Amino acid sequence: MTRTSGFQDEDFWTEFHDFLFSEQRHTQAEELLATSPLLSFPTGARVLDLCCGPGVFTVPLARRGHEVTGVDLSSAMLDRARKRTAEAGTEVTYVRADARRYEAPGAFDVVLNMFTSFGYFEDPADNARVLRTMHTCLAPGGTLVLDLAGKELLARKVTPPKVVQRGEDLMVQTDTVLDDWARLRSDWVLVRGERVTRAALVWFVYSAVELRRMVEEAGFGRVEVFGGFDGRPYDQNAERLVLRAVREA
Ligand SMILES: C[S@@+](CC[C@H](N)C(=O)[O-])C[C@H]1O[C@@H](n2cnc3c(N)ncnc32)[C@H](O)[C@@H]1O
């Protein structure tokens, strides 16, 4: 049995890659970029994809004519992203960096943080620091788009263990609510032939109101919350929590 320790652990992303970054997700990202009013940016916009992973959004953003930088802590994920970028015949600048410490003051028109890539640091001050990185990286007037599974949605979905199958592989996911809904723990067991890998992720879950407050405290203005990339309200029909905010000055 192999055990990986979570969000900052390179082995975790490699082991669970096929479940998290399916070809279907890559295709969906292309479609979202083509249709979502929240992901429509002027051609040539300078876009930072923070925690870019294997390039699910990074690569199609570059194909759409944006000047894209992908930042991630994992070399393995960056290697995959570079490979997809080359296959797509496009260009992206990739940087291996910690989201808390990446520095590029005023260098971007857009910062994206997609697919619940926020809230994983044990110290809440570190999560706040990531928001300040995003703010600092934006030029005045620049836009942040942060996409995650909001607490209100998770409250509906935390159910008994869930089994997902991909080809011959099986993944069992069990979620546990911690600290009066401040955090969630997700235990994953991946069965691949004879090989079994266990992993646990613990992260802070945010309601729309909590996330809005944090984003405002990081210096952002004009904060809006949506329930999906189609711009629907964050109500009982929401599918995601998509927050948009502006660095005003
Ligand atoms: C859920 S994946 C999301 C990937 C991508 N945004 C997407 O939509 O598929 C989170 C990514 O965050 C990266 N990561 C983990 N800790 C990080 C850190 N401290 N700084 C930067 N990236 C980090 C992981 O390596 C992983 O690729």
Side-chain angles (χ1 to χ4, degrees), residues 68-81:
V68 186
T69 298
V71 169
D72 202 282
L73 190 62
S74 157
S75 317
M77 289 302 111
L78 289 172
D79 286 347
R80 287 177 190 263

Side-chain angles (χ1 to χ4, degrees), residues 180-236:
D180 308 330
W181 272 104
R183 298 192 297 164
L184 202 65
R185 176 188 169 102
S186 206
D187 288 286
W188 295 6
V189 182
L190 174 62
V191 183
R192 187 172 272 162
E194 297 295 301
R195 189 175 144 87
V196 177
T197 309
R198 301 182 77 95
L201 282 179
V202 178
W203 75 102
F204 283 90
V205 291
Y206 304 102
S207 70
V209 170
E210 289 164 346
L211 189 64
R212 173 192 287 272
R213 188 178 310 132
M214 280 181 80
V215 167
E216 285 171 349
E217 280 170 7
F220 285 94
R222 287 155 58 188
V223 182
E224 299 166 282
V225 173
F226 303 92
F229 285 103
D230 54 3
R232 72 181 66 186
Y234 190 69
D235 60 12
Q236 66 280 6

Side-chain angles (χ1 to χ4, degrees), residues 7-9 13 20-21 25 49-57 71-74 77 97-100 113-117 120-121:
F7 195 77
Q8 303 236 60
D9 178 355
W13 299 105
L20 292 166
F21 309 111
R25 272 206 68 224
D49 187 4
L50 191 64
C51 302
C52 66
V56 172
F57 284 90
V71 169
D72 202 282
L73 190 62
S74 157
M77 289 302 111
D98 187 318
R100 288 167 292 186
N113 183 253
M114 308 295 277
F115 198 49
T116 315
S117 300
Y120 290 88
F121 294 109

